[in-house]
Amino acid sequence: MASVVTAPAKMPRRHLRSRQASAAVMVPPMTKAQQISDVPSPIDHECDIYAIKSSPQQTNVALEVAGEPDCSPEAGRLRKRKESPCEADGDAEGEAVAIVMAAGSRRNPKRKATETAAASTSAAASSGSKDYLTLLRESLAPLGEDELKEWEGWCEVESEPAFFNAMLREMGVKDVKVQEVFTVDEDYVATLPQPVYGLIFLYQYFSENYEDDAVVDSRDVWFANQTTDNACATVAMTNIIMNSPEVDLGKDLQAFKDSTKTLSTPLRGHALSSNPFIRSVHNSFTRRMDHLNADFVLEIEASESKKKTKRRGPAKKTKKSKKQKIDEESGFHFIAYVPANGSVWELDGLKTRPVCIGPLEEGVHWAELVQPEIQARMLQFEDTALTFNLLALCKSPLGILSGELASTLRSFELLNKRTKSVDGWQNLIAGNDQPLLSTDIERLAGFGISGSDIQQAHVDPAFERKVKKPSTDMGELFNLYDDLVTKQKSLMGEYNAEIGSVNEDDDRVQGRKKDHTPAIHSWVQKLAEHGVLADWAANS
């Protein structure tokens, strides 16, 4: 056993580590346990100072310091000695072992805290990665009908006639078509399907002073304020059709109109924005990413509003200028123009009341009164190259064409009744057969015509008088017949063309509803898994 130099009993413990003591130490050979130990070098140095002989106790100490606790009885006694290393009557070897144990247990507390923090950070990162993947899957999942109805937000709507037509059909409105308008000149407006129920104008929003305008009684004008973001398109369209008595609104919109007729304009707007049926139709062709973007923008606006409220100081007096200052970052806004109760009105959901443009004039199309107003708004942007858009709500051409086809069928019935007893009539019209017959029920349904429509159809009085006139000869009757055949073929062609236009609108809507984000994400993910993205990044 190697000799150990001990200090006097009353000498402080620090003299145990004197240079004189270390000079008399014999360093024992390293045991196998010491060779595999990862105890820091200062602890090994202390073992050398005290020259503890290789023994089972020493082996246990080395293993325990290395992070491999020993459960043997000797190890238990050593741990107990560690708890009370200053016993006065302890032998030198036991005291040395206790010092080694104490030295081994004094690890750097900062290092221990760092390791704990690293472990917790790693666990949090692992948990966060799982949450990220879950969130990603949810954001890429298709949008269900229940989610669409429960979501209380409103998405932006592009100024695309196909989208407005789709909304009208889903709301149950019949025989109304939205189409783009390039001017409101008299000649151009005359080419639109009549009547024109209203105009929707899209422009970059700017605040304007309208309080000085003459206040006209507008109690009989149905008007709703816009009380939520991104709803201006539906608000403008609803303000038009609600003021068109001849339009068939359908069951749901008619019930909404009846239930809100006594409300004030702000409450009416709130009822519109909180109506699940109208809101879900507005959002029917949106994607999940549109909903996430709308929520994100709303959150940013709310945060910015709180910051501005805190920084807001006393209001400064500014001079009013005739020309409004346009904010380049302001969004686009839909407003409506509509004839109602003998006047033309501007219905802007962001204004507190309808603004009367002027009274209707006999012999003048009401859209001509709107032209100066639209031009004035466009002049506000004369220094910038911004675009505008104008849409017209008209009677659907399909309804007009169906009515005219029914009129030709009724005219054919009168003519056939007149020529039934005329000799040689069938030989005269051979090869020039009537395109659409009143008895072909299936084909009539394809053109939206029923038997009652034919009986109630209007016939040109001049045509009816000539057919019933006894002196009308066979040649004149044939000319009437030939004109009817030509007209009916033309109407059938126009009707089919309009059906084709409706189908194109449906294709645009379906294309807008399709969400290619999941497919693109999967494709990019596969590229990353095969290292293609890494190669691109390395070569770029």
Side-chain angles (χ1 to χ4, degrees), residues 271-329:
L272 189 152
S273 62
S274 58
N275 185 284
F277 171 72
I278 298 176
R279 185 178 62 240
S280 60
V281 170
H282 175 96
N283 296 324
S284 60
F285 45 83
T286 57
R287 311 181 185 102
R288 182 181 296 277
M289 197 58 64
D290 297 325
H291 293 197
L292 296 176
N293 288 336
D295 291 339
F296 181 65
V297 170
L298 183 61
E299 182 179 357
I300 293 177
E301 290 179 352
S303 177
E304 292 295 331
S305 178
K306 291 180 180 179
K307 293 179 181 178
K308 290 181 180 179
T309 303
K310 293 180 180 179
R311 296 194 301 262
R312 185 176 299 170
K316 297 181 180 180
K317 295 183 179 180
T318 57
K319 295 182 179 180
K320 293 183 179 180
S321 59
K322 187 174 182 180
K323 186 173 181 178
Q324 302 294 332
K325 184 178 180 180
I326 308 302
D327 185 2
E328 295 181 356
E329 296 183 357

Side-chain angles (χ1 to χ4, degrees), residues 378-511:
M378 296 176 67
L379 288 176
Q380 297 286 342
F381 302 91
E382 60 183 354
D383 297 331
T384 58
L386 297 178
T387 58
F388 308 88
N389 190 258
L390 185 64
L391 303 176
L393 271 72
C394 314
K395 184 175 178 61
S396 173
L398 291 177
I400 298 174
L401 294 172
S402 294
E404 293 182 359
L405 277 173
S407 178
T408 61
L409 291 170
R410 179 62 178 161
S411 300
F412 268 119
E413 288 182 352
L414 293 176
L415 185 59
N416 291 335
K417 185 178 180 180
R418 170 71 170 79
T419 59
K420 185 177 182 180
S421 58
V422 176
D423 295 337
W425 176 255
Q426 295 298 326
N427 295 331
L428 183 63
I429 64 173
N432 192 20
D433 298 334
Q434 179 180 339
L436 185 63
L437 300 176
S438 302
T439 56
D440 195 344
I441 305 300
E442 185 175 352
R443 291 191 65 196
L444 290 178
F447 291 97
I449 303 173
S450 63
S452 60
D453 294 332
I454 298 174
Q455 298 302 320
Q456 298 173 4
H458 173 73
V459 178
D460 184 12
F463 176 88
E464 188 174 4
R465 285 195 302 268
K466 188 174 289 189
V467 169
K468 292 182 178 181
K469 188 177 180 181
S471 60
T472 304
D473 59 16
M474 185 181 296
E476 292 176 333
L477 293 175
F478 178 79
N479 290 335
L480 294 176
Y481 178 88
D482 188 62
D483 291 342
L484 279 179
V485 170
T486 303
K487 183 178 181 179
Q488 195 174 73
K489 288 181 178 180
S490 176
L491 292 173
M492 293 171 65
E494 292 180 25
Y495 189 94
N496 290 329
E498 188 63 27
I499 289 293
S501 177
V502 172
N503 293 335
E504 290 179 1
D505 288 349
D506 291 339
D507 291 340
R508 289 193 185 96
V509 173
Q510 294 302 322

Side-chain angles (χ1 to χ4, degrees), residues 128-204:
S129 176
K130 182 178 180 180
D131 293 340
Y132 161 75
L133 294 176
T134 302
L135 181 61
L136 181 61
R137 284 194 298 269
E138 292 177 354
S139 63
L140 296 177
L143 193 64
E145 293 185 4
D146 294 338
E147 292 179 286
L148 188 64
K149 293 179 180 179
E150 293 175 359
W151 189 61
E152 297 182 358
W154 291 69
C155 287
E156 292 182 348
V157 175
E158 296 90 337
S159 185
E160 168 61 51
F163 300 158
F164 285 86
N165 287 323
M167 287 192 292
L168 287 173
R169 286 195 297 270
E170 291 187 31
M171 289 180 181
V173 180
K174 299 179 181 178
D175 294 335
V176 177
K177 179 185 179 181
V178 180
Q179 65 181 64
E180 195 167 10
V181 178
F182 302 100
T183 180
V184 288
D185 292 338
E186 181 179 2
D187 295 337
Y188 183 84
V189 172
T191 63
L192 297 175
Q194 300 296 323
V196 179
Y197 301 120
L199 298 174
I200 298 178
F201 182 59
L202 175 69
Y203 70 103
Q204 191 171 14

Side-chain angles (χ1 to χ4, degrees), residues 55 116 179 309 366:
S55 63
T116 304
Q179 65 181 64
T309 303
W366 69 267

Side-chain angles (χ1 to χ4, degrees), residues 229-262:
D229 288 343
N230 301 331
C232 55
T234 296
V235 170
M237 185 176 65
T238 306
N239 281 334
I240 291 176
I241 59 178
M242 292 295 186
N243 288 290
S244 304
E246 61 272 28
V247 172
D248 186 354
L249 299 176
K251 179 182 65 175
D252 295 294
L253 281 188
Q254 186 63 51
F256 176 77
K257 181 180 180 180
D258 296 339
S259 63
T260 58
K261 61 182 179 181
T262 59

